[in-house]
Amino acid sequence: MPARVLACFWQVRFRMTRLLFLALVGLTVSACAHAPPALSRPSGDSGFTAEPMPEPPGMDVAAPRPFELQPGDVLSLGTISPAPLNVPRLVVDEAGLLHAPLVGAVPVAGLRMEEAQERIQERLRRYDRFGLVSLSVTEPAGHRVSVLGAVERPGAYVLGGGTTHVAELLALVGGLKVMTGDAEVAELADLEAARLLRGGTPLPISVVRALAGDARHNIPVAPGDLLFIPALQGASVRVLGEVKSARALPWRAGLRLSDALTRAGGMTVDADSADIRVVRGPLSKPKLYQASFADVVAGRAPDVELARGDIVFVTRHWFATMADVLQRLTPLLAVGAAAVTVMELNAAPISQ
């Protein structure tokens, strides 16, 4: 075994053991002090910190932009003249030039149709003093926008006639990526982190508010724009214990305890609905909270909002001890500790 691989193995083993030990000690101490009730929102939990997402201010509602020619547009050129000219397909090249018979290369990118027509008319007069130029768009292929990330049909799309807004563009690509199964549908897109880039620079809009119809955010898209919808990668909530289908669920803002339990198939007949544990925080120092789903159903307690990375553990009747919780959570914490350690070691060279 090469020395570098062996060194990596022992570092992973040592650091994983340390993280796991700290996690189990933290949970044990929490249990001895009696698990406090879970707060209704993660924002009220001193043990939970999330990087604040700046709220984009939006943009002033601007007047609709006129159609301007772009590289890639396909045009049809004709003249009304005793010696008429008819060219059904001319493409604006990457340099923004239109190569037409007689007139040669004419720069048209960024011009409105009437401006481009007048420019070609001027060039043509040296050959045909009385000819009138007629210019029309056959395919607006240069008016493309790109949508990438967690959407159903990512790719480049040609903007048709009229104005296309952010919300309409999302509808054009089939909407957000979702996961379906077991009679449940979960969105896999992180809309709060979505960005619309123009010229490589993010615009100060919120896609969430654009979908809500806010005119300052649901702005018209322009040729060359890129809409990026990141996935909820790594953002999950795990539901374990006495549920019918233990699983990791994609996290989304506003995910409640009742939603997570429902999507895990509900609780088994042995479950103690009055004693559900929520493990929150980093593996090195996790916190343990207690929630009562029975109180939620009876209206005596709020439905707990879950945070990214939470672990929901449903205990059993009669022996909802910390030993039971630790026994079920130890393998999961071990895997998580190993993953964290490997990622950290991959990011840093091994010391010699």
Side-chain angles (χ1 to χ4, degrees), residues 26-40:
L27 288 176
T28 304
V29 171
S30 297
C32 293
H34 301 292
L39 298 174
S40 59

Side-chain angles (χ1 to χ4, degrees), residues 1 8 33 40 46 66 75 77 91 100 136 194 236 249 274 278 295 315 318 331:
M1 181 180 294
C8 182
S40 59
S46 61
L75 308 179
L77 173 65
V91 180
S136 60
S236 63
L249 304 172
V278 178
D295 287 347
T315 63
W318 308 114

Side-chain angles (χ1 to χ4, degrees), residues 65-70 75 108-119 135 137:
R65 298 178 58 181
F67 183 91
E68 296 176 347
L69 293 174
Q70 301 292 332
L75 308 179
V108 296
L111 299 182
R112 297 192 298 256
M113 287 295 294
E114 60 271 20
E115 293 173 336
Q117 191 168 282
E118 289 175 4
R119 183 168 292 185
L135 194 65
V137 178

Side-chain angles (χ1 to χ4, degrees), residues 274-300:
D275 187 12
I276 296 175
R277 310 296 173 95
V278 178
V279 181
R280 176 172 297 162
L283 288 175
S284 59
K285 196 177 180 181
K287 288 193 174 184
L288 183 69
Y289 297 94
Q290 184 177 23
S292 172
F293 187 64
D295 287 347
V296 173
V297 173
R300 294 188 296 267

